[in-house]
Amino acid sequence: MRHDATPAAVCEGLVRIYWSPSGEVHALKGVDAVVPAGRLTAITGPSGSGKSSLLRILAAQDRPTAGRAEVAGAALTGMSAHKLRALRRRHIGYVFARPPQNLLPHLTAREHLAMAGKLRGVARAEVVRETAELFDLLGIADRAEHLPGQLSGGEQQRLAFAQAVVGRPALVVADEPTSELDSATTADLLGAVHELTRTGTTVVMATHDPLAAGAADQIIHLRSGTVAHEEVGGRRLAVIDGDGRVQLPEEALRLFAARRVLIDVTGDGVVLRDPT
C-alpha cells in the first residue's frame, strides 16, 4: 500500500518543562521528530530520557511548553482542553502497557469495538464491518464473544489495538505494549501491528524492548530530552535541528573529549576531526 506523504505527527523544537517542589524539570529540550503515516515508529531511550513526555504530547494528553507539535494536522499549542479531548476521541487511539488497563471486564471483545466506535461517532454499520475485518486481520475472530478474562495476554493486547483502530484514527499511541508479554507472544503481536500498518494505520510506541524496536520502520532514540539519533532502514541518522546543531551518538562523542571539532567540507560530505 502507498503510504500517505502527509505525516501523522510533527514536532519542531519541542520543549516540555515540569515544575516540582525541587525546581524545574526539563523533560524535552528541543525535540525535532516526524512520525510518518502508515508506519510503525518506536521511541526508545533510557529512563528519564523523555519518552513518556513525548508520548503524552503525541497522544494529545499534554501540551508542549514551547515549540510546535502537530497531530492529525492540528497544532496542539494553545488548544483548549475541550478541543484536546475532541482530538483524542476522534483522531487518536491509545494502548496501555498492561493488557487489563485497556479493557473492561464485563464487555466482550465485540462489545469493546462497538463502544469505541460509538465514542468516535462511527456509524453502527461501519463499526460492524470494521470489527469483522480487524478481528480477521489480528487473528482473534474466534474470540469475538469472549470476555477479557477469557483471553490470553497477547489476545488482550490484540483486542486493545483493534479497539484503538476502530474509526481509523490518524494515530495509535502505544505505551510499552509488549512489556508484559513473552518473546513469542511479542513477536505475534508485532506481526499483527505490522498488518495494521499495511492498511494505513500509523502506530507510535514507546518501548524498552529490543524486539519491539527492531520491528519498527523508524526508531527515534532519545537521550536526556533530545533526539540522540534515528534509525531508518537499518541506517543510523543524526538529527540536525533548525539552528544547524547535530546530535552525535555516544560512541562518537567519546572521540571529542573537549567537545570541539574541526569541520572539513569535502566534495561528497562533511568530516568532523579532533582538533588535537
Side-chain angles (χ1 to χ4, degrees):
M1 163 171 195
R2 184 180 67 82
H3 297 288
D4 193 339
T6 303
V10 177
C11 302
E12 292 182 353
L14 209 60
V15 174
R16 186 64 180 99
I17 301 173
Y18 298 98
W19 284 266
S20 69
S22 59
E24 292 185 352
V25 177
H26 291 249
L28 299 174
K29 307 171 186 175
V31 167
D32 292 318
V34 175
V35 177
R39 302 290 178 93
L40 172 58
T41 295
I43 300 172
T44 67
S47 297
S49 61
K51 294 192 306 299
S52 295
S53 295
L54 181 55
L55 206 69
R56 284 184 59 81
I57 290 173
L58 291 174
Q61 295 175 349
D62 204 354
R63 281 174 287 230
T65 305
R68 183 173 77 93
E70 187 176 291
V71 178
L76 302 186
T77 305
M79 187 176 286
S80 69
H82 173 74
K83 289 184 177 179
L84 272 179
R85 186 165 57 250
L87 178 67
R88 289 195 300 269
R89 176 172 289 187
R90 182 64 190 92
H91 296 293
I92 300 171
Y94 200 93
V95 178
F96 291 96
R98 299 186 62 247
Q101 288 180 289
N102 297 300
L103 308 171
L104 297 174
H106 60 282
L107 294 183
T108 66
R110 191 184 304 279
E111 289 169 340
H112 274 92
L113 268 65
M115 178 184 68
K118 184 176 181 180
L119 288 172
R120 287 208 174 98
V122 184
R124 185 175 181 278
E126 180 65 17
V127 173
V128 170
R129 184 188 66 79
E130 279 196 43
T131 297
E133 290 181 355
L134 288 168
F135 281 178
D136 283 339
L137 190 67
L138 297 174
I140 52 174
D142 59 343
R143 296 288 193 258
E145 309 306 329
H146 286 60
L147 297 171
Q150 298 171 310
L151 305 176
S152 68
E155 289 169 341
Q156 289 181 27
Q157 286 299 68
R158 290 186 188 210
L159 174 57
F161 271 99
Q163 178 179 246
V165 170
V166 167
R168 299 301 176 183
L171 184 65
V172 174
V173 177
D175 184 9
E176 300 279 358
T178 66
S179 63
E180 297 199 0
L181 306 179
D182 60 38
S183 57
T185 307
T186 291
D188 288 342
L189 177 66
L190 293 171
V193 171
H194 266 297
E195 289 300 319
L196 288 174
T197 62
R198 289 190 184 100
T199 68
T201 298
T202 304
V203 180
V204 57
M205 64 177 175
T207 184
H208 283 97
D209 184 352
L211 189 61
D217 299 300
Q218 168 184 263
I219 302 172
I220 299 173
H221 186 81
L222 299 182
R223 183 178 71 230
S224 301
T226 62
V227 178
H229 64 267
E230 293 180 1
E231 291 181 41
V232 180
R235 297 191 302 167
R236 178 180 290 193
L237 306 176
V239 177
I240 305 174
D241 69 14
D243 293 321
R245 291 184 291 257
V246 179
Q247 285 284 341
L248 297 180
E250 292 181 27
E251 59 269 29
L253 281 176
R254 288 195 289 269
L255 300 175
F256 305 105
R259 294 296 190 267
R260 298 292 185 274
V261 299
L262 287 174
I263 300 175
D264 292 334
V265 179
T266 67
D268 59 353
V270 177
V271 177
L272 306 182
R273 303 183 190 279
D274 186 336
T276 61

